[in-house]
Every structure is written in structure tokens, then in C-alpha cells.
Amino acid sequence: MSRYVLPLSVLGTAVGGAVLLKDFVSGGACPSKATIPGKTVIVTGANTGIGKQTALELAKRGGNIILACRDMEKCEAAAKEIRGETLNHRVNARHLDLASLKSIREFAAKVTEEEEHVHILINNAAVMRCPHWTTEDGFEMQLGVNYLGHFLLTNLLLDKLKASAPSRIINVSSLAHVAGHIDFGDLNWEQRKYDTKAAYCQSKLAVVLSTKELSRRLQGTGVTVNALHPGVARTELGRHTGMHSSAFSSFTLGPIFWLLVKSPQLAAQPSVYLAVAEELEGVSGKYFDVLKEKAPAPEAEDEEVAKRLWAESARLVGLEMSHERGQPLPK
Ligand SMILES: NC(=O)c1ccc[n+]([C@@H]2O[C@H](COP(=O)([O-])OP(=O)(O)OC[C@H]3O[C@@H](n4cnc5c(N)ncnc54)[C@H](OP(=O)(O)O)[C@@H]3O)[C@@H](O)[C@H]2O)c1
């Protein structure tokens, strides 16, 4: 019997250590218990993954939730599920395809007309490492959906957000931004050989840069904007990478995944935290790694790059800017 004591205690220590490490790697639950009764929240890409869990959690906290998705069947199903689980009936589905500037303009026009307020905008939707696709308007798909689409959406909703202040914009980026570089000579991958990873990283770096620039432009308006990395989560994001479909990779990487990868519910906590936490009132232009504020990659802190990217993005999406203030012109 005694010969089992040592191996069992080693095994116990290893399992305990792995569980502790998993908790450490995952980050915890949102530390704020704040509720948001009557606050209107938009979550893009809310039919699945982190976006759906973010919408669910904010519905539990009493918000009026708008799920903004490209597939209305999935969107209605998610809204119904959230209403059923939370008994919050102010959860609605609206059509938004971030790969179409026309769809973004239609969505923003409807929201502006029909919603009295928008207090929280969560730019969550994304596509990762897809083939070399382009959006309806000819942008490289990852830059178009993850960054340019949200850039236009946010700018079109700014008047409403300002009128609803204090209000918050949350941009879901990724740790992948650290490997990104903004190539102003070929933002849309028209000249270089397409690199699916580099294109994703560029799009997520652009998200952090625009967060910083927008925060500078919003000073004194009562609207804050922050970016975050949610952690690595088990979602549909890897649908174009082949990882999900390979039995070999599932088998070999399974234990590593268990350790490093968290549930969408846990990965939604940073978005929820930035959306509701009272202690973050007035905090703007920051990057959060899960629940902790952290310095982003050096290129993400470069003000010149941020300003140049803002001007180029405004030109690409056809946003008319006032030259004096660099703000969108009123319609
Ligand atoms: N999962 C991770 O480990 C991880 C790590 C770092 C950062 N993130 C970030 O977290 C966010 C959420 O990702 P996730 O993991 O929850 O991924 P997901 O499960 O793939 O969900 C992505 C969502 O974006 C939507 N979407 C894609 N293209 C769209 C378009 N053209 N218009 C509107 N919506 C569109 C998807 O809609 P459909 O279902 O219709 O495709 C889906 O609802 C993303 O910004 C991602 O980059 C995730």
C-alpha cells in the first residue's frame, strides 16, 4: 500500500497545480456586481461564442440588449434563448453584416431612429484566418470585419452615445495584436502574398490603435472607449484554421487546450467588466489583458500611426470628416 503513496501524492500535486495554473491562466469572473437596468447595450457578433455570453450576462444585469448579427436565424435563436434564460424580455435581434458598409449604415440609421439611447457598444464580432476573401466593398475580410466595419459603426453611433453619456465603447481585440504591423502601403493585401495570420494580427492591432485615437477625440464628452484581450476561449473562432476538424490535433493538443482554453462564459467576463464596473467610470484609451490593464504592443502606442490609420480608415469607409476637429460631419 505504502508504495502507492508517493505516486498518488505526485499525481495529486500535479492535478492541483494544473487546476491552479488553469485558474491563473483563465482569469476570473467579473469582480463587479453592478447592474445596468434600463441601459441600452449593442453587442456585435452575439449569436455565438463570447458575444452571446456577453449579451446573456448583461441581460441578467437588467440591460436592454440588441444582438447585432449577420445571420438573422441564428440571431433570433440566440435572443430567444437569452430571453428564456434570463426572463429579461428586452433582448432583441437586429441585422448587421460588418462585411457590408451598406448594412452598417442601415443598422446605424435604424438604431439612431428607433432607440432613445445607446449606453454601451461592444464591438465583439470577428473573423479569424479565413481564406483570402474580400468584403462587399473590396476590403480584405479580416481588416474589413474586425476593424473597418466596427470603425464605421462606432463613428455612426457617436452622436447617440454622446447624447446618452456617460456611455462606453468596448473594442474586443486580441493578444495577437502584438504580432501585428500596419502596412499603409498595402492595408488590404492587394500586393503581398496573403498571410492569414498576419492579416488577423494587423486587424487586431488596428483595433487597439483606433481605441487610443478615439479616446483622444472623445475627451470631455462622457464617452469612454477601451480595448481588451478576452483570453483564449473555446469558440467557433478557429473555424477556418482546420484545428477543430483534425482528430490528430484535437488528440495531441487536447491537454494543452484544457489547460489554456476557457469557456466562452469566462471569456465574456472582461467585456462585461469594462461595460459595467463602477470603478472604471471615466477610464478611457486603455488596453486590458483579460481583467487587468496592461500596456499594449509598442506600435499600438504610436500616436502618429494611430492618426494616420484614422484618416485612412475614414477615407476607406467614406466617412466625411470636419477638417477643423477631425470629427464626423453631422448628417
Ligand atoms: N476565442 C478566442 O480564443 C479569442 C481570443 C482572442 C480574441 N478573441 C476575440 O473575441 C471576439 C469574439 O470571438 P469568439 O471567439 O466568440 O468567435 P466566434 O465564436 O467565431 O464568434 C464570432 C462572431 O462574429 C460574427 N461575425 C463574423 N463575421 C461577421 C460579419 N461579417 N458581420 C457580423 N458578425 C460577424 C460571427 O457570426 P456568424 O456566427 O454568423 O459567423 C459570430 O457571431 C472576437 O473579436 C475575437 O477576435 C477571441
Side-chain angles (χ1 to χ4, degrees):
M1 189 67 194
S2 62
R3 67 197 158 115
Y4 295 118
V5 172
L6 184 63
L8 278 176
S9 78
V10 169
L11 184 67
T13 309
V15 171
V19 169
L20 280 176
L21 184 60
K22 184 174 168 59
D23 281 357
F24 175 75
V25 169
S26 300
C30 171
S32 171
K33 299 277 173 263
T35 56
I36 49 166
K39 300 261 181 203
T40 299
V41 183
I42 298 174
V43 185
T44 69
N47 56 282
T48 187
I50 297 171
K52 183 177 170 188
Q53 292 302 318
T54 304
L56 175 82
E57 179 79 28
L58 293 172
K60 276 187 196 158
R61 293 177 187 242
N64 307 331
I65 314 295
I66 298 169
L67 280 68
C69 312
R70 61 177 169 171
D71 181 325
M72 282 313 281
E73 214 173 296
K74 291 190 205 169
C75 197
E76 296 282 9
K80 189 173 171 200
E81 200 183 314
I82 295 173
R83 284 194 298 267
E85 200 172 326
T86 60
L87 300 181
N88 177 345
H89 289 275
R90 294 174 310 279
V91 177
N92 292 297
R94 278 187 189 267
H95 183 255
L96 169 68
D97 182 356
L98 288 157
S100 157
L101 297 183
K102 181 169 171 277
S103 170
I104 297 165
R105 288 188 178 278
E106 283 172 1
F107 174 86
K110 270 198 155 183
V111 166
T112 304
E113 194 185 313
E114 293 172 16
E115 301 296 330
E116 205 180 333
H117 297 291
V118 174
H119 301 99
I120 299 169
L121 169 63
I122 304 187
N123 291 319
N124 163 83
V127 57
M128 184 179 82
R129 301 194 56 197
C130 56
H132 197 180
W133 293 336
T134 51
T135 67
E136 195 175 283
D137 308 278
F139 307 136
E140 182 276 318
M141 185 62 77
Q142 301 185 75
L143 188 79
V145 170
N146 306 356
Y147 169 62
L148 288 170
H150 284 128
F151 172 85
L152 178 61
L153 176 67
T154 303
N155 273 288
L156 294 177
L157 293 177
L158 272 187
D159 285 345
K160 189 61 99 179
L161 284 152
K162 285 180 192 167
S164 314
S167 50
R168 301 182 184 195
I169 302 164
I170 290 111
N171 291 331
V172 182
S173 178
S174 168
L175 179 60
H177 84 272
V178 303
H181 169 62
I182 306 294
D183 188 334
F184 284 104
D186 190 18
L187 270 182
N188 278 299
W189 295 86
E190 288 153 341
Q191 289 149 37
R192 292 167 288 167
K193 184 172 180 293
Y194 190 55
D195 180 332
T196 61
K197 262 189 231 164
Y200 180 71
C201 296
Q202 175 182 252
S203 75
K204 290 298 182 179
L205 173 61
V207 169
V208 184
L209 281 161
S210 73
T211 302
K212 298 256 173 199
E213 179 59 22
L214 182 56
S215 149
R216 286 188 276 272
R217 288 166 182 259
L218 287 175
Q219 271 172 25
T221 62
V223 186
T224 60
V225 53
N226 292 293
L228 66 89
H229 165 60
V232 181
R234 219 173 302 112
T235 65
E236 295 174 38
L237 193 64
R239 64 183 99 177
H240 300 296
T241 64
M243 286 254 295
H244 291 266
S245 49
S246 152
F248 175 75
S249 63
S250 301
F251 179 73
T252 50
L253 298 177
I256 302 171
F257 261 61
W258 176 84
L259 189 64
L260 298 179
V261 177
K262 54 188 173 181
S263 66
Q265 192 266 338
L266 207 49
Q269 301 304 306
S271 294
V272 172
Y273 178 55
L274 293 196
V276 305
E278 279 144 3
E279 62 270 29
L280 296 181
E281 189 80 58
V283 172
S284 192
K286 306 294 183 199
Y287 170 78
F288 286 74
D289 186 335
V290 188
L291 297 169
K292 289 203 172 66
E293 192 199 321
K294 200 176 161 185
E299 191 171 334
E301 305 260 36
D302 189 324
E303 272 192 47
E304 285 314 305
V305 175
K307 284 191 195 324
R308 189 173 168 198
L309 180 65
W310 187 276
E312 184 59 8
S313 308
R315 189 187 68 76
L316 286 171
V317 302
L319 201 64
E320 289 178 63
M321 309 297 274
S322 124
H323 291 296
E324 307 85 69
R325 294 180 298 129
Q327 302 287 2
L329 285 172
K331 291 250 170 57

